[in-house]
Amino acid sequence: MKLNLETMKAFLIKNKTYVIIAAVFIAMVFVLMTINQGDSSTDAKQADSDEVITVDETTPDTATEDTTVATNDLQVDAYPAVNELVNKYFTAMSTSDIDTLLQIVNPLSDEEQTQIQQKKEYIEGYDNITCYTKIGPEENSYVVFVYYEIKFININTLVPGEIPLYICSNEDGSLYIYNDELTPEVDSYIADIAAGQDIVELIGSVDTKFTEAQAADPDLKAFIDKLSGTADQAAADQAAADQAAADQAAADQAAADQATADQAAADQAAADQAAADQAAADQATTEDGYEAVDETVYASETVNVRDSSSEDGSKLGQIYVGESTKRTGVGSNGWSRIEFNGETGYVMTEYLTTEGVTQEIKYLSSTVNLRAEADENSDKVATAYEGTKVTRSAKLDNGWSRISFDGVTGYVKSEYLADTYK
């Protein structure tokens, strides 16, 4: 019988779930191992751990060093310090005592720590621990095949298992469980031990006991099947989570790309609009040389409105000081185009301002009638008495002014307005 070398290597080094975390069913690993059992004995009986195989149980206290080194027989519970470390390890595993494990297992990753804590949910403890030990390849090192039996919560039958540990010594002589990559020399040494007849038979016997335990306890069998399915589901869930993360990353990238494209489109639209506005502004300059505008302006003094941009143009009327009008164009010839009584008129630009003209405070020097228009024949809208304070908003060139007081607006002759009243 010969144990597949690469399988053992993976078991010892790469599958740390079994080596350090003491996976839920480490014994299940052996079901998957490539073991040629054609030559194995069919007379194997269920027995205690030290009865699984015939070994030399001579301890280092009674055996000579030369004999131990020469034969390196498998020793059963022969090294008290090793047994103490292994028992401390399994006690810490059963209670998820990470602090203790960090002291005796080197190294112990964050992922492994998380797995240990998860095992506490269904592992009650470990019993019947037995250490099958061989001298290791380095000074004061040991290759230990630990037999144990797991007690699962709410399962009566103990489940047999076996885990190989590589135990090394610190500088102070204390022992620890080595959990890192092995050198090629150490790897080869341990692989040779694992291929030995004694180890193959040990593993085979544990596998047999594991199978028998399931056959004897349907609850255990159902629990193992469920736990195995849970592991498969966990792997599927992780794969789904990884895919979801990849999908989200792709979606985020697509969104970022879309945002970049949208911004580029917005920038281009803004540039196009600016160009269109400029073109419209250029187009707005009409054939008669006026730049199109749309704004309210005020007369800075009473000014004539003409039908063309010339002092020779026909007079359409006047706009008075402070009176507002709509300007539609500004010419380079010094004239502005305005809207006047439903027509297009022209006024010299120098007499227009975009700011409201400051209104004047005046006083009536005589009692007068307030007219609706700047004409003595116009309707009277009110009587204004001597000394009344009024606001003049326009001074007409025909000798009249537009005034307001007490909410009434009308026209009086300018000669009746004074700057002060005594």
Side-chain angles (χ1 to χ4, degrees):
M1 294 179 291
K2 184 177 181 180
L3 179 66
N4 183 280
L5 182 65
E6 292 304 318
T7 302
M8 189 62 193
K9 183 188 297 184
F11 184 77
L12 284 170
I13 305 170
K14 299 176 183 177
N15 292 340
K16 292 184 179 179
T17 299
Y18 298 108
V19 175
I20 287 301
I21 301 306
V24 181
F25 299 107
I26 296 178
M28 294 178 66
V29 176
F30 304 121
V31 177
L32 303 177
M33 284 186 168
T34 305
I35 303 175
N36 297 322
Q37 297 182 340
D39 299 331
S40 61
S41 172
T42 59
D43 298 327
K45 305 290 185 179
Q46 188 173 17
D48 294 335
S49 301
D50 56 356
E51 296 175 350
V52 172
I53 60 172
T54 302
V55 296
D56 182 358
E57 298 189 14
T58 305
T59 67
D61 294 335
T62 59
T64 64
E65 180 178 355
D66 291 341
T67 300
T68 302
V69 173
T71 61
N72 199 11
D73 292 334
L74 193 64
Q75 304 289 328
V76 182
D77 289 335
Y79 300 90
V82 170
N83 281 38
E84 180 182 358
L85 175 66
V86 170
N87 279 279
K88 186 176 183 180
Y89 166 75
F90 275 95
T91 298
M93 287 290 296
S94 64
T95 59
S96 298
D97 184 355
I98 301 300
D99 291 338
T100 296
L101 290 170
L102 288 171
Q103 296 174 10
I104 62 175
V105 178
N106 182 28
L108 188 62
S109 69
D110 292 341
E111 180 182 359
E112 292 169 334
Q113 295 177 37
T114 299
Q115 293 176 356
I116 291 170
Q117 293 169 335
Q118 292 173 345
K119 301 299 182 290
K120 189 177 180 181
E121 297 179 3
Y122 42 83
I123 294 180
E124 186 174 312
Y126 301 87
D127 295 321
N128 302 323
I129 297 171
T130 304
C131 295
Y132 294 86
T133 306
K134 287 198 174 190
I135 299 299
E138 299 175 327
E139 185 178 0
N140 297 324
S141 68
Y142 305 89
V143 179
V144 185
F145 297 84
V146 183
Y147 173 85
Y148 58 87
E149 293 176 354
I150 300 177
K151 174 62 175 71
F152 290 108
I153 296 174
N154 299 325
I155 300 295
N156 294 327
T157 302
L158 295 178
V159 181
E162 189 276 339
I163 179 174
L165 300 175
Y166 182 42
I167 296 178
C168 299
S169 297
N170 292 305
E171 292 182 359
D172 61 3
S174 61
L175 300 180
Y176 69 93
I177 298 171
Y178 183 82
N179 187 39
D180 210 343
E181 296 293 329
L182 301 176
T183 65
E185 293 78 14
V186 173
D187 181 32
S188 176
Y189 183 93
I190 295 176
D192 288 341
I193 288 178
Q197 181 76 12
D198 49 2
I199 301 303
V200 171
E201 291 184 358
L202 172 61
I203 294 173
S205 67
V206 175
D207 180 33
T208 298
K209 295 177 72 173
F210 175 74
T211 302
E212 292 173 348
Q214 292 186 81
D217 189 341
D219 291 339
L220 174 61
K221 178 65 167 61
F223 179 73
I224 290 175
D225 291 342
K226 179 180 179 181
L227 200 60
S228 178
T230 299
D232 294 341
Q233 184 60 47
D237 290 344
Q238 183 60 48
D242 293 342
Q243 184 60 50
D247 291 343
Q248 185 60 49
D252 291 343
Q253 184 60 49
D257 293 343
Q258 185 60 47
T260 300
D262 291 344
Q263 185 60 49
D267 292 343
Q268 185 60 49
D272 292 343
Q273 186 60 48
D277 291 344
Q278 183 60 48
D282 295 341
Q283 184 64 31
T285 300
T286 62
E287 294 180 357
D288 59 0
Y290 284 83
E291 179 183 352
V293 296
D294 184 4
E295 58 189 1
T296 299
V297 292
Y298 303 87
S300 58
E301 61 179 82
T302 299
V303 62
N304 293 324
V305 180
R306 301 190 179 275
D307 65 356
S308 64
S309 56
S310 170
E311 292 184 359
D312 295 331
S314 299
K315 180 179 176 182
L316 300 178
Q318 291 181 312
I319 53 174
Y320 305 113
V321 174
E323 191 172 4
S324 65
T325 188
K326 180 179 180 181
R327 178 160 59 184
T328 61
V330 178
S332 59
N333 57 0
W335 287 76
S336 288
R337 187 178 61 222
I338 67 171
E339 292 181 357
F340 183 76
N341 294 334
E343 298 183 77
T344 298
Y346 295 87
V347 176
M348 295 190 69
T349 301
E350 62 182 291
Y351 298 120
L352 300 176
T353 176
T354 56
E355 299 180 0
V357 176
T358 303
Q359 296 178 329
E360 300 177 280
I361 301 300
K362 296 292 183 178
Y363 296 89
L364 290 175
S365 60
S366 177
T367 298
V368 296
N369 291 322
L370 195 64
R371 303 289 180 177
E373 300 291 340
D375 187 334
E376 289 182 346
N377 296 319
S378 179
D379 294 337
K380 184 177 75 173
V381 296
T383 299
Y385 297 97
E386 181 180 354
T388 300
K389 182 179 179 181
V390 300
T391 300
R392 179 163 66 179
S393 58
K395 184 179 180 182
L396 286 62
D397 58 359
N398 61 358
W400 288 72
S401 291
R402 184 175 62 213
I403 65 171
S404 299
F405 72 97
D406 293 338
V408 179
T409 298
Y411 294 85
V412 298
K413 289 188 176 182
S414 300
E415 61 186 271
Y416 298 121
L417 298 176
D419 292 334
T420 59
Y421 178 74
K422 296 181 181 179

